[in-house]
């Protein structure tokens, strides 16, 4: 499956702090260990573990946030994550992150996001187009440096209050000119109530921000129905959907971000051969293969495509069409979608 790596790909479900290189996390943890802020050997074991329950994943995020949440590090990890995606031929990336406030180091949600933007600007390995005011490159020449379009989604963590969620939405509205296109609701699915986030999400939708929700990552039938009734522009996971949830999802034609390794490792789905990818794919329902947290789950987008190919018997041409179909599910402007179609069209002779 060596053809998967060079194939142009679109990533729509990637959390910044879940997509950090292990080497960077270990390097940062070592420095904090030397300062006596944490015990490096404990952290090393946690970072290098590969098998994690959903509860362990959220404990790991608390640890990662402790290691990464200062302006300089946020800038660094943003730059590295974009370079890593671009180097495996991701041509369009929607990167999501939770704006964080930490008064003790003078960090506000806004300054956190400014550090992210600084990271976008700091990429030197590849060309990055992240805001619609930038001149669009003709990216289909097939020669020269790699180029990646990046758009940002601001995440609301399920631990947040309505006010805090609203602050994030207002920040997203103010940052539209630097590539922010939408809002994501994520965080530990066992925490928080849908009614807490609804006012902020409705406000976002009313102001034309795109919305994607982590939906059905755990068993919660009422919340799944309420989320679908909200008609988000996309959902992530959909692991615990039942009959009427699938009916609603399909009748509303809501695209699903599929994160195979994440679902299997966290045991949200017990085995890949019963993953809902198969049914949705056969039903021609819009779906997008994504990584979720390539650092936490030790994967890559190419690896996720390989998993889909080997588990569900997709051929080369079908895989390419699936990758291309993700264009329609992006939250990008029409001009960008047009550029992406050109990129895929110029690569298509390799995949027929
Ligand atoms: C739900 C997840 C997640 O925002 O700090 N996050 N939320 N389900 C998942 N499946 C495993 N993976 C990541 O990135 C880390 C944050 O993204 C959310 C969690 O809120 C986590 O703290 P940022 O960049």
């Amino acid at each position: 499956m060596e053809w998967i790596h060079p194939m142009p790909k679109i990533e729509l479900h990637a959390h910044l702090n879940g997509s950090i290189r292990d080497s960077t996390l270990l390097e940062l943890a070592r420095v904090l260990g030397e300062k006596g802020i944490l015990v490096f050997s404990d952290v090393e074991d946690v970072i290098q573990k590969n098998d994690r329950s959903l509860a362990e994943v959220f404990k790991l995020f608390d640890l990662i946030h402790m290691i990464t949440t200062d302006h300089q590090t946020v800038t660094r990890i943003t730059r590295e994550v974009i370079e890593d995606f671009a180097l495996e031929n991701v041509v369009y990336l929607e990167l999501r992150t939770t704006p964080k406030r930490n008064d003790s180091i003078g960090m506000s949600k806004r300054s956190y996001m400014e550090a992210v933007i600084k990271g976008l600007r700091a990429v030197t390995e590849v060309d990055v187009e992240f805001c619609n005011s930038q001149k669009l490159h003709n990216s289909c020449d097939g020669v020269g440096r790699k180029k990646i379009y990046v758009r940002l989604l601001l995440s609301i963590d399920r631990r947040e209050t309505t006010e805090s969620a609203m602050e994030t939405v207002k920040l997203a509205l103010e940052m539209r000119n630097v590539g922010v296109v939408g809002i994501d609701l994520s965080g530990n699915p066992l925490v928080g109530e849908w009614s807490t986030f609804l006012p902020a999400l409705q406000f976002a939708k009313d102001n034309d921000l795109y919305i994607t929700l982590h939906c059905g990552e755990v068993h919660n039938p009422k919340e799944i129905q309420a989320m679908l009734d909200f008609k988000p522009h996309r959902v992530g996971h959909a692991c615990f959907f039942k009959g009427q949830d699938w009916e609603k999802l399909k009748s509303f034609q809501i695209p699903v971000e599929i994160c195979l390794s994440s679902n299997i490792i966290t045991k949200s789905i017990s085995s890949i051969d019963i993953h809902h990818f198969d049914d949705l794919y056969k039903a021609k329902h819009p779906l997008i293969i994504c990584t979720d947290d390539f650092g936490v789950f030790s994967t890559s987008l190419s690896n996720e495509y390989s998993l889909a190919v080997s588990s569900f018997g997709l051929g080369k041409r079908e895989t390419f069409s699936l990758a291309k179909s993700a264009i329609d599910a992006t939250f990008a402007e029409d001009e960008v979608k047009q550029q992406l179609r050109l990129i895929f069209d110029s690569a298509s002779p390799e995949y027929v």
Side-chain angles (χ1 to χ4, degrees):
M1 283 186 249
E2 64 293 337
W3 49 272
I4 291 180
H5 185 269
M7 184 177 78
K9 292 175 283 294
I10 288 180
E11 168 65 81
L12 300 184
H13 188 136
H15 299 269
L16 173 62
N17 277 282
S19 308
I20 306 171
R21 299 173 187 164
D22 275 3
S23 57
T24 297
L25 264 186
L26 290 169
E27 179 194 321
L28 295 167
R30 194 170 285 116
V31 173
L32 294 187
E34 280 159 15
K35 289 182 182 164
I37 297 171
L38 48 77
V39 179
F40 177 71
S41 55
D42 294 353
V43 176
E44 190 179 23
D45 288 346
V46 179
I47 292 172
Q48 288 179 334
K49 192 172 172 229
N50 275 327
D51 199 18
R52 312 173 193 281
S53 68
L54 202 54
E56 284 170 336
V57 164
F58 290 102
K59 273 199 209 136
L60 174 61
F61 279 124
D62 287 341
L63 174 65
I64 291 176
H65 288 145
M66 193 179 135
I67 298 174
T68 60
T69 307
D70 65 74
H71 294 113
Q72 213 185 337
T73 307
V74 170
T75 297
R76 169 179 175 179
I77 60 175
T78 304
R79 175 178 57 73
E80 291 181 353
V81 165
I82 290 166
E83 286 174 359
D84 289 350
F85 275 118
L87 292 176
E88 61 153 343
N89 297 304
V90 170
V91 291
Y92 175 91
L93 163 67
E94 258 164 43
L95 183 64
R96 54 187 79 188
T97 192
T98 320
K100 296 169 188 72
R101 179 176 157 185
N102 182 349
D103 293 337
S104 66
I105 54 162
M107 176 180 279
S108 62
K109 287 190 176 194
R110 169 176 285 283
S111 71
Y112 175 93
M113 282 312 301
E114 283 166 355
V116 170
I117 304 294
K118 206 170 160 189
L120 290 174
R121 295 192 201 281
V123 176
T124 52
E125 297 284 302
V126 294
D127 288 338
V128 182
E129 192 274 358
F130 68 93
C131 54
N132 36 23
S133 59
Q134 273 175 286
K135 192 175 166 296
L136 293 179
H137 302 286
N138 177 6
S139 314
C140 62
D141 58 4
V143 291
R145 281 159 61 84
K146 287 188 193 299
K147 290 171 189 159
I148 182 168
Y149 290 86
V150 180
R151 295 294 179 270
L152 299 169
L153 304 178
L154 303 201
S155 300
I156 295 169
D157 187 317
R158 295 182 62 109
R159 289 177 290 198
E160 293 186 62
T161 61
T162 305
E163 293 68 35
S164 176
M166 194 63 96
E167 188 189 344
T168 296
V169 172
K170 288 185 177 155
L171 182 61
L173 288 169
E174 287 166 27
M175 298 190 81
R176 280 174 141 169
N177 61 337
V178 280
V180 175
V181 289
I183 297 288
D184 154 57
L185 176 65
S186 54
N188 189 337
L190 296 169
V191 172
E193 297 290 329
W194 170 243
S195 58
T196 306
F197 317 114
L198 182 57
L201 293 167
Q202 190 61 55
F203 179 71
K205 207 178 187 200
D206 293 345
N207 282 281
D208 297 326
L209 283 169
Y210 289 99
I211 313 285
T212 177
L213 304 174
H214 281 61
C215 181
E217 202 176 5
V218 293
H219 177 73
N220 191 342
K222 269 196 182 156
E223 185 180 88
I224 294 173
Q225 280 290 310
M227 284 183 167
L228 291 174
D229 287 335
F230 175 74
K231 295 193 183 166
H233 301 96
R234 294 196 309 251
V235 293
H237 298 301
C239 300
F240 283 81
F241 276 32
K242 298 279 179 291
Q244 57 171 353
D245 307 324
W246 292 125
E247 277 166 33
K248 211 169 252 186
L249 179 94
K250 286 178 182 167
S251 73
F252 295 165
Q253 282 291 298
I254 302 172
V256 184
E257 302 151 1
I258 296 276
C259 309
L260 294 170
S261 292
S262 164
N263 296 160
I264 300 301
I265 292 172
T266 61
K267 300 190 175 55
S268 298
I269 299 288
S270 58
S271 150
I272 191 117
D273 33 275
I274 57 155
H275 197 283
H276 44 289
F277 175 98
D278 204 26
D279 281 344
L280 289 174
Y281 183 71
K282 285 180 181 147
K284 299 196 182 343
H285 186 82
L287 58 87
I288 314 97
I289 294 183
C290 303
T291 53
D292 205 4
D293 300 291
F294 77 67
V296 169
F297 299 119
S298 305
T299 188
S300 65
L301 192 54
S302 301
N303 187 47
E304 295 303 297
Y305 271 92
S306 302
L307 254 178
V309 168
S310 58
S311 308
F312 308 110
L314 270 61
K316 197 171 172 184
R317 184 205 300 243
E318 293 160 305
T319 309
F320 181 78
S321 310
L322 179 64
K324 185 180 176 188
S325 70
I327 297 173
D328 298 325
T330 65
F331 296 159
E333 314 85 89
D334 287 344
E335 299 94 300
V336 175
K337 287 186 180 171
Q338 196 46 41
Q339 288 293 319
L340 294 174
R341 287 194 188 97
L342 291 173
I343 293 170
F344 276 89
D345 288 347
S346 73
S348 71
E350 302 288 324
Y351 298 92
V352 288

